[in-house]
Amino acid sequence: MKSLLLFLVACLFCVTAPAAVKLTASGIEVDGGAMGKLTFRYPKFTPQGGKDVKPEVKFVDDARVEISYLTEGAPAIVLTRDGDTVTGILTTKSAGKLRWDMYIPIIFAGSGFFSFGADGEKRPFPKNLPEKPHLLQASGNALQLFDGNTDCSIGIHIDPGAYWQLQDNRAWKWKIFQLVLFQDVYENHREQKMTFQFSAKQPEVAKVRVDRFGQPTDLEFPGKVHSEQELKNDVAADKAYFDSLNPPARTVWGGLPGSREKFNLKATGFFRTDKVAGRDVLVTPEGDVFFQLGVCTVSPCDDYTYIKGREQIYEWLPKYESEYKTAYRGHWATDFSYYLANRIRKIGKPFDLDEWKTEQIDRLRKWGFNSEGAFTTSSKANRGKKFGRVPGLYTPAGIVGSICDPFDPAIREDLGRNFSKLAGSKDDPTIIGYFIANEQPYPEVARMVPGFDGKVAAKRELVRMLQEKYRRIEKFNTAWNLKASSFEELNDLPLPVQTREAWTDMEAYAAHFFDAYFKLIGETFRKYDPNHLLIGARFLVANANVESAVAACGKYCDIFSYNYYTRTIDPALLDRIHRLSGKPIILSEWSYGTGEQGLSGGVVDVRNQIERGKAYRSYVEEAASLPYVVGSQWFAYIDQALTGRFFQHYSGECMNIGLVNVADRPFKEFLALAMETNYRIYDVLFGEVEPFVWRAEGTVGERAAKSVQIPHAVAGHKVDGIRQPWPGRPSERIDGSCLVDGAEDGGVSADFWLCWDEKNLYLFTEVRDPSPARNSRKGKDLWQSDCIELFIGGEELEKSGPLLFSDRQILISAEPSKGGAWVMNQPSQPKIPVVVIPNSKGYAMEAAIPWSALGIKPESGRKIRFDIGLDDGDDGSRRLRQFMWSGRADNSSARTHWGTATLVD
């Protein structure tokens, strides 16, 4: 077997300096000077025919790391550092691939370059999302990265060569570039060697990227500040602007005047929930109806940027001990806010939180906002102005992300000790309620806990449940397909979840875990603060597919908080969350952004500030018209820093999320539209006006779930790519109305037919495609180019939400000689005959999917959950568009929008 020698060498650019290399808990960190620190993350392992397995890292110190994987026969890697050289020894029993990767900041877009090969031509990182997100896919020995903002570079040289992939993750709604390196692992090969060598180069004088006001030096835009006098002039201009705004009458807390009397509501001195006129509402301390129009981060936060190590790229940085001292975060001279520096220039005074907050609350009320959301620093201005806020609770040490172990007595003590401090604020009327946490990884609990050892109370609790259920270890071994000698052994034994019974047991455990977790938080909280609301844990959309977590959170909280970034409100999705949680909903984080002032847009992009305002209106009004939505919290008050928010150091987000920019100038076009909604929110709330609805160009509208009948196959049926003999049924159509991902349909469409017999479900498709049958992918990646996807479930047909254990996603390549077919969610791959025949308009495909692979017993009258998707790409490596006959782009993780099919004679 081969040995592998891997070198990473920095490209010489101007001034040579030895690289500062460290082994960290997450990867090999290389200090690129003004370019920043880039981390080559420890690799995932993909066994042949299997799924990615994350590394389990034992961090000894910055000179030694031990890496293992929770799967049988997987590699063990020991990395050691000697100066700037890192050497690795790998041993393994299983063949597969290692997948190393490195994130490259979005600030490279439009200014950075890369070259491939020893003398490769420099190619730019695209400023905007390119047609093809894979900027490079090739085997070779060398790659160089050039940062045009700093004139620094890093080179990577590998001997022998490997497979490189450089991609633009904006295609997957994540604003960052990613370098991926695939490295072969050979079966039963011992002492496979890896050596990493690093060096760094940077110029003596770095290129200045950020001007003295925190703006891009190379971009002009309307309203850009060019002098300190312009900032001073803003004082009078701001006064005239805000004096011109005339918001409607509101109660002192921002509620609806007269609603206390109209609906006979009680004043309790605190915010609470109630029901009036057939809908959920919040109620102010004085007893008035209140719809929260909140704004997150009404305090300096993401406007701070990390400057250490790249000071040369800034035109101006003041000394810490100067009149700009308050523009630095705390006593750290590493995090600086140009926003605060501009405020100091503007008003001629150091930053004072209470004074600043007083002014911002007045501004927010002029714009029609009535409270603060998450991540906001408390100030006496809130009480003086009677402006509500939503702080977060103390978060104990977590075992899965920030999720703590509810079965650990030490956690209970820690929680009680820290929550007892809430008693000092229990009578504060400005607190609407508390968030438990932010975007916790609920799906990881069922995945990670079985791999823990017996030192973790949550693992011991799992073993206790398994012993209580199975009683005999032999019965457990049969159910889980393991060979344990005793239940006691299970405490320290990794427990792979690979059978239906194991899946079911882990679902039951997850429900038990989340009930214990949220119960512990809820009961401890109310022990010390009986007056304020508990407003959930700010779930992400994907994590809300863990239904047991949603239900448990709702059971012990007063309101369910949902961080819902979306182009359009989906009432069906929110209905499901409301039913599962049983509680009113606050949409606790969302926004839209553009790249007009040099930032990277938003989590959801729009083209300009007018579209930003229309998107705001549509989001808030459509949400408020739902009878269980009681508020929203825009993220955030101030734009993020041009060189990224501070706590992410060199790869920080740098988005247009603010109501004001770095120069403290309001986005007036956007706010003019937002005010229209904020001013009439209570009319929308009670149905006195229709909600404003706007859809960005290319947005797919709502569709009802579809159904189809599948006839029995006729005698003589065979899979040959010819639709003879087939039952005489009309086709079902997939066209532009089914587009769920991509800007346009590209002239692609399809007709499909289905039939069945006692052995197989048969599919025949005729696809119209200008660049047909191109797919260089394999296995679980077939969806990334020309491909047919089937979604089939035979159990609990009325159940929505995440996929069941028995649900199947079948990927069928349009180029079967390279890719064939792949069944997701199944440990072993069945044989699926596929025939593809190209024609003048595209291609025809026929396939036979064994019922045994689907776990379904076919019989006439049998109804199943069913959907079919069409993936299309032009070059065989990257999907440009996706169509779904009935469902949506999230079909692979949720069955909610799948259609149905019925087997008939």
Side-chain angles (χ1 to χ4, degrees):
M1 293 291 180
K2 305 177 187 176
S3 66
L4 179 66
L5 182 64
L6 179 64
F7 296 100
L8 275 82
V9 183
C11 167
L12 300 182
F13 194 80
C14 290
V15 178
T16 304
V21 177
K22 291 196 299 185
L23 298 181
T24 71
S26 57
I28 305 171
E29 181 183 272
V30 188
D31 189 344
M35 183 177 180
K37 295 177 182 177
L38 300 182
T39 300
F40 204 58
R41 300 195 307 167
Y42 300 130
K44 295 179 181 178
F45 173 67
T46 307
Q48 288 184 344
K51 297 181 178 180
D52 287 345
V53 183
K54 294 181 179 180
E56 303 290 327
V57 178
K58 181 181 179 182
F59 178 68
V60 180
D61 53 39
D62 71 353
R64 183 180 175 90
V65 167
E66 299 170 4
I67 303 171
S68 58
Y69 301 88
L70 187 61
T71 187
E72 187 174 355
I77 306 172
V78 177
L79 297 177
T80 56
R81 180 184 61 81
D82 181 9
D84 292 337
T85 299
V86 176
T87 302
I89 301 295
L90 176 151
T91 58
T92 184
K93 294 181 179 179
S94 297
K97 286 186 182 294
L98 295 180
R99 182 183 187 275
W100 304 78
D101 69 353
M102 173 188 288
Y103 292 127
I104 302 168
I106 195 64
I107 59 174
F108 273 61
S111 62
F113 299 85
F114 67 94
S115 66
F116 188 66
D119 300 309
E121 181 183 355
K122 287 175 67 173
R123 296 161 55 189
F125 281 88
K127 182 172 181 57
N128 301 310
L129 178 64
E131 182 178 347
K132 299 177 181 180
H134 291 109
L135 311 178
L136 169 69
Q137 287 181 310
S139 296
N141 293 81
L143 180 112
Q144 297 178 356
L145 302 174
F146 304 88
D147 179 13
N149 290 319
T150 63
D151 291 338
C152 294
S153 63
I154 285 180
I156 304 172
H157 181 82
I158 300 175
D159 185 21
Y163 187 79
W164 304 78
Q165 182 168 290
L166 183 61
Q167 63 193 39
D168 188 335
N169 281 359
R170 287 176 292 184
W172 296 277
K173 311 297 187 291
W174 185 14
K175 297 194 170 181
I176 204 163
F177 297 102
Q178 186 175 14
L179 173 65
V180 184
L181 182 67
F182 295 96
Q183 179 181 358
D184 287 323
V185 174
Y186 303 103
E187 187 175 9
N188 295 321
H189 182 66
R190 304 192 64 79
E191 295 197 351
Q192 189 169 342
K193 188 177 181 182
M194 295 170 277
T195 302
F196 303 76
Q197 293 182 330
F198 302 86
S199 61
K201 301 286 178 170
Q202 56 181 311
E204 291 182 354
V205 180
K207 177 182 176 182
V208 173
R209 176 174 181 246
V210 182
D211 73 14
R212 63 191 186 278
F213 303 107
Q215 305 164 126
T217 56
D218 57 354
L219 178 69
E220 284 296 320
F221 52 84
K224 185 175 183 179
V225 173
H226 296 90
S227 70
E228 293 191 15
Q229 188 58 50
E230 289 181 25
L231 286 173
K232 296 180 187 299
N233 293 343
D234 280 353
V235 175
D238 286 349
K239 184 178 187 308
Y241 166 65
F242 286 105
D243 284 348
S244 72
L245 304 181
N246 296 294
R250 295 286 185 254
T251 66
V252 66
W253 289 100
L256 177 62
S259 54
R260 175 182 177 182
E261 296 76 16
K262 180 178 180 179
F263 298 114
N264 194 29
L265 296 169
K266 295 181 180 179
T268 63
F270 303 98
F271 284 92
R272 62 183 181 86
T273 59
D274 208 330
K275 286 185 178 289
V276 300
R279 64 163 299 130
D280 292 298
V281 294
L282 283 164
V283 179
T284 69
E286 295 184 346
D288 301 295
V289 169
F290 178 84
F291 184 87
Q292 186 181 25
L293 293 169
V295 177
C296 297
T297 320
V298 186
S299 56
C301 184
D302 286 2
D303 49 295
Y304 288 109
T305 195
Y306 187 77
I307 59 173
K308 185 177 180 181
R310 55 177 178 180
E311 293 88 349
Q312 308 98 312
I313 71 171
Y314 302 100
E315 180 184 27
W316 169 85
L317 282 171
K319 293 181 179 179
Y320 178 73
E321 293 295 342
S322 69
E323 65 268 38
Y324 296 99
K325 182 176 181 177
T326 54
Y328 285 93
R329 190 175 69 92
H331 64 275
W332 299 277
T334 60
D335 306 325
F336 183 71
S337 169
Y338 279 95
Y339 169 82
L340 290 180
N342 290 333
R343 285 279 306 177
I344 294 168
R345 288 162 162 150
K346 181 176 176 178
I347 64 175
K349 295 166 54 178
F351 169 70
D352 177 82
L353 177 64
D354 291 326
E355 180 182 50
W356 178 85
K357 183 69 77 69
T358 298
E359 179 184 354
Q360 306 323 307
I361 290 174
D362 288 342
R363 287 180 167 191
L364 288 165
R365 282 189 163 144
K366 283 282 191 174
W367 290 324
F369 296 100
N370 58 21
S371 55
E372 296 173 356
F375 314 123
T376 295
T377 304
S378 176
S379 165
K380 64 183 181 183
N382 289 84
R383 184 180 289 269
K385 292 283 186 178
K386 294 193 174 181
F387 204 67
R389 58 192 181 95
V390 187
L393 293 175
Y394 165 78
T395 304
I399 56 169
V400 179
S402 63
I403 304 172
C404 66
D405 188 342
F407 307 110
D408 187 345
I411 289 294
R412 291 175 174 269
E413 293 177 8
D414 180 47
L415 205 64
R417 184 169 56 253
N418 282 279
F419 275 26
S420 66
K421 301 171 186 176
L422 297 172
S425 301
K426 67 182 178 63
D427 296 324
D428 185 348
T430 68
I431 298 174
I432 298 173
Y434 288 88
F435 288 122
I436 292 173
N438 181 57
E439 299 178 352
Q440 294 179 303
Y442 305 110
E444 295 297 293
V445 168
R447 186 193 73 83
M448 292 183 64
V449 170
F452 292 151
D453 60 30
K455 296 177 183 177
V456 179
K459 175 65 178 296
R460 300 196 300 271
E461 180 68 7
L462 170 61
V463 173
R464 184 198 66 77
M465 288 181 65
L466 293 172
Q467 183 171 9
E468 183 178 83
K469 175 180 178 179
Y470 290 103
R471 302 294 180 184
R472 294 187 299 110
I473 194 65
E474 296 81 10
K475 189 176 179 182
F476 165 80
N477 283 335
T478 299
W480 279 62
N481 193 26
L482 294 175
K483 297 178 180 180
S485 60
S486 67
F487 282 106
E488 185 178 77
E489 182 186 6
L490 299 185
N491 283 312
D492 291 319
L493 189 70
L495 304 178
V497 179
Q498 55 192 3
T499 67
R500 176 189 291 269
E501 289 80 4
W503 174 287
T504 301
D505 289 342
M506 287 313 302
E507 282 194 321
Y509 173 79
H512 174 61
F513 180 100
F514 292 127
D515 187 83
Y517 172 71
F518 285 109
K519 180 180 181 181
L520 174 63
I521 300 291
E523 290 184 349
T524 309
F525 168 74
R526 290 191 170 88
K527 178 180 179 181
Y528 298 105
D529 188 342
N531 297 327
H532 294 116
L533 298 168
L534 196 56
I535 311 183
R538 309 182 88 245
F539 275 57
L540 278 174
V541 174
N543 293 344
N545 282 327
V546 183
E547 295 183 343
S548 58
V550 175
C553 183
K555 181 179 178 181
Y556 297 104
C557 294
D558 302 294
I559 294 172
F560 187 87
S561 50
Y562 197 37
N563 290 2
Y564 186 32
Y565 285 91
T566 182
R567 193 162 292 279
T568 58
I569 291 289
D570 180 0
L573 173 65
L574 295 179
D575 285 349
R576 173 176 157 267
I577 296 299
H578 176 57
R579 288 195 305 271
L580 284 171
S581 67
K583 294 295 166 64
I585 294 175
I586 281 178
L587 302 175
S588 43
E589 185 178 320
W590 60 280
S591 62
Y592 303 97
T594 83
E596 295 170 294
Q597 296 190 3
L599 298 174
S600 65
V603 175
V604 181
D605 286 338
V606 290
R607 291 180 294 187
N608 51 54
Q609 295 298 322
I610 296 294
E611 283 197 356
R612 201 171 176 227
K614 290 179 178 178
Y616 176 94
R617 292 202 63 195
S618 189
Y619 186 109
V620 173
E621 294 197 21
E622 289 186 77
S625 69
L626 299 173
Y628 47 79
V629 175
V630 297
S632 89
Q633 298 178 9
W634 170 272
F635 185 84
Y637 185 71
I638 308 167
D639 271 350
Q640 292 174 330
L642 179 62
T643 49
R645 55 184 178 180
F646 69 96
F647 59 87
Q648 293 173 310
H649 285 193
Y650 302 105
S651 296
E653 289 181 1
C654 53
M655 293 190 289
N656 165 222
I657 56 172
L659 307 182
V660 299
N661 70 2
V662 68
D664 194 41
R665 290 184 165 179
F667 292 100
K668 294 180 181 179
E669 291 178 313
F670 158 59
L671 287 163
L673 290 163
M675 281 185 275
E676 291 186 40
T677 286
N678 293 354
Y679 287 4
R680 71 176 201 155
I681 191 63
Y682 292 112
D683 292 335
V684 176
L685 197 70
F686 292 112
E688 296 174 11
V689 297
E690 289 295 316
F692 176 86
V693 175
W694 176 79
R695 296 290 181 264
E697 184 178 337
T699 302
V700 176
E702 299 297 321
R703 297 184 296 152
K706 297 179 181 178
S707 61
V708 65
Q709 290 188 336
I710 305 178
H712 197 283
V714 300
H717 187 103
K718 58 183 178 179
V719 178
D720 56 7
I722 302 172
R723 200 167 56 84
Q724 288 292 336
W726 264 75
R729 292 287 185 112
S731 68
E732 291 287 324
R733 180 82 170 163
I734 299 174
D735 56 22
S737 66
C738 304
L739 188 70
V740 296
D741 188 32
E744 40 77 34
D745 63 27
V748 176
S749 62
D751 288 277
F752 71 90
W753 296 260
L754 300 161
C755 66
W756 68 281
D757 61 21
E758 286 65 31
K759 290 185 177 181
N760 298 305
L761 171 67
Y762 299 99
L763 166 71
F764 193 99
T765 60
E766 289 183 354
V767 179
R768 283 153 294 284
D769 184 354
S771 56
R774 298 180 182 177
N775 196 327
S776 60
R777 299 291 187 157
K778 294 181 180 180
K780 62 186 178 181
D781 291 328
L782 289 174
W783 62 270
Q784 294 198 39
S785 199
D786 289 1
C787 178
I788 296 293
E789 300 188 45
L790 293 175
F791 303 88
I792 297 174
E795 298 179 348
E796 300 185 64
L797 304 188
E798 301 305 317
K799 188 172 184 179
S800 297
L803 272 58
L804 306 182
F805 178 80
S806 57
D807 288 341
R808 295 290 180 263
Q809 176 188 9
I810 302 103
L811 309 177
I812 307 173
S813 174
E815 196 170 355
S817 62
K818 292 186 177 180
W822 188 266
V823 182
M824 305 291 279
N825 314 325
Q826 186 156 305
S828 60
Q829 290 299 311
K831 184 177 180 180
I832 298 178
V834 180
V835 175
V836 175
I837 299 179
N839 56 48
S840 60
K841 295 182 180 179
Y843 61 92
M845 174 193 288
E846 188 171 10
I849 299 95
W851 290 111
S852 59
L854 303 174
I856 293 174
K857 182 180 179 180
E859 56 187 5
S860 182
R862 176 79 187 255
K863 190 174 182 178
I864 61 176
R865 292 296 295 269
F866 170 81
D867 206 351
I868 181 171
L870 171 64
D871 301 316
D872 176 64
D874 290 345
D875 63 359
S877 65
R878 180 239 172 170
R879 187 177 72 189
L880 297 177
R881 54 191 66 87
Q882 182 183 45
F883 307 80
M884 286 294 171
W885 171 70
S886 178
R888 302 188 180 189
D890 66 347
N891 264 14
S892 60
S893 62
R895 65 190 334 236
T896 303
H897 298 286
W898 294 7
T900 58
T902 305
L903 307 183
V904 298
D905 290 328

